Amino acid sequence: MDTDRATRRVRAWWKRAAHAPPGRFPEGKTEDDCDHEIATLQEQLMTSEATVHSLQAAVHQRDKLIRQLQPRAELLQEICRRRPPLAGLLAALAEAERLGPVPASDPSHPPPGGPGPPLANSTGEEADRDHLQPAVFGTTV
């Protein structure tokens, strides 16, 4: 608001408040008193406006930070959503690791339920290789 306009409004209010005729101020008040109060109110207004601008800047900075953190928050939510299946998988891998490798057996007597005859699309080269290494499970967790 324009300073002169604000000054006129405060003076008009003072006159109306005291029901004084035009050109007069409330009883016991002088024009200097009004000017002092106007200056005080203008100072308070400027301080309030500075505070508002400061708060608006802080809100803007926080909004910017929230926008920067939003993708990370979404990623963490996705990780949390996938945690139970991942925990189950890790437990199964730990159990497999606890069981250890399958003991080597006599190649002429394959274990029941073990590998059968070569598959139809097999090249036969697999049979020439040394017996397969037993599977070893491990985790990196």
Side-chain angles (χ1 to χ4, degrees):
M1 182 184 293
D2 180 48
T3 304
D4 293 331
R5 187 174 167 200
T7 302
R8 286 192 305 269
R9 289 184 75 186
V10 170
R11 281 195 174 130
W13 179 84
W14 267 96
K15 289 176 184 178
R16 281 193 310 273
H19 304 291
R24 290 210 36 189
F25 295 94
E27 192 174 320
K29 300 291 182 181
T30 65
E31 189 171 349
D32 287 340
D33 292 335
C34 287
D35 290 343
H36 176 70
E37 186 161 343
I38 289 169
T40 301
L41 291 172
Q42 287 174 336
E43 190 175 312
Q44 288 175 351
L45 176 63
M46 289 173 56
T47 301
S48 296
E49 287 177 343
T51 302
V52 166
H53 289 298
S54 173
L55 291 172
Q56 286 174 334
V59 166
H60 178 73
Q61 284 299 106
R62 294 233 170 114
D63 286 347
K64 183 178 175 183
L65 180 60
I66 288 170
R67 283 191 302 274
Q68 290 174 346
L69 293 175
Q70 190 64 38
R72 287 177 175 84
E74 291 168 1
L75 177 62
L76 288 173
Q77 286 176 337
E78 184 66 17
I79 289 170
C80 289
R81 187 180 67 76
R82 294 178 184 227
R83 184 175 180 215
L86 181 59
L89 176 62
L90 290 175
L93 288 173
E95 177 65 16
E97 190 173 71
R98 185 188 68 74
L99 292 174
V102 177
S105 63
D106 183 2
S108 63
H109 295 91
L119 299 174
N121 65 352
S122 173
T123 62
E125 294 176 12
E126 291 86 3
D128 294 340
R129 283 192 261 154
D130 290 334
H131 296 288
L132 296 176
Q133 295 293 322
V136 177
F137 292 96
T139 61
T140 59
V141 180

